[in-house]
Amino acid sequence: MSKTSVWRDAVTSGSAASALSLIALMLGGRRENASAAAPINAVSHWLHGPRAYRVDRTTLAHTALGAAVHHASAIFWGALYALLLRQMAASRSRPEKKRAARTAGASSSALSVPEVVAGAAVVTAVAALTDLRLVPPRLSPGFENRLSSTAVTAVYLAFGAGLALAGMAALGPALRRR
């Protein structure tokens, strides 16, 4: 991503992904459960067990904990995204360095918008697969117990959009427009 630390990029991209996916969770919860807090509360099942799936009202014990766990998870995935973009940029710059040395021309190892978006899509797909299929139920996000599959898909799409937007913002002027 940028020339900043991986940690900073992880926090930035994870926070953007967390914010957009929390909005999707609240909209889905409001539409499907008449409670914006219900799917966020469900995330607190890590601590409170299955009874967290039945809490509809906003509470410190369930809603704040659920949002915090969701945010921490998003930062983890944001770190993987930051590392992936760095790897993509590094692999792009290797052949260009050789070519630049031969031609003495300026070379850019900047990633393009489609590459940044593709990286976000890959990380989001891995996150969804891990969250919804690979981990035991106790470690799943929990919101899938309160939302339809369509709403869960919207949550992950929002998550990916947050990663991609943060990736593009971090790259800023270095981002290739093609």
Side-chain angles (χ1 to χ4, degrees):
M1 291 171 77
S2 65
K3 292 188 178 185
T4 61
S5 72
V6 171
W7 173 245
R8 179 175 167 192
D9 288 341
V11 170
T12 302
S13 59
S15 294
S18 175
L20 290 182
S21 58
L22 279 170
I23 290 168
L25 283 168
M26 290 186 291
L27 291 173
R30 172 68 79 196
R31 185 174 47 256
E32 296 180 3
N33 297 286
S35 168
I40 300 168
N41 293 340
V43 177
S44 72
H45 77 99
W46 285 30
L47 180 65
H48 299 295
R51 72 177 185 264
Y53 301 144
R54 296 183 300 275
V55 179
D56 289 335
R57 67 188 192 293
T58 302
T59 70
L60 185 62
H62 293 92
T63 315
L65 177 62
V69 167
H70 180 75
H71 191 74
S73 172
I75 290 173
F76 168 78
W77 293 111
L80 291 180
Y81 179 60
L83 291 169
L84 175 63
L85 290 187
R86 279 177 166 72
Q87 182 61 40
M88 289 167 66
S91 66
R92 168 184 283 284
S93 68
R94 286 184 204 120
E96 289 186 7
K97 284 181 183 177
K98 292 176 187 173
R99 187 171 37 248
R102 285 193 309 262
T103 63
S107 173
S108 172
S109 63
L111 297 173
S112 66
V113 171
E115 289 169 324
V116 171
V117 171
V122 166
V123 170
T124 300
V126 171
L129 176 67
T130 302
D131 289 350
L132 302 173
R133 296 286 183 248
L134 298 180
V135 298
R138 183 71 177 187
L139 300 179
S140 72
F143 56 74
E144 72 280 7
N145 291 289
R146 294 300 306 259
L147 297 175
S148 66
S149 59
T150 301
V152 170
T153 300
V155 170
Y156 282 100
L157 287 173
F159 186 89
L163 290 178
L165 289 171
M168 287 185 272
L171 289 169
L175 188 65
R176 285 194 0 251
R177 303 292 182 219
R178 3 176 220 131

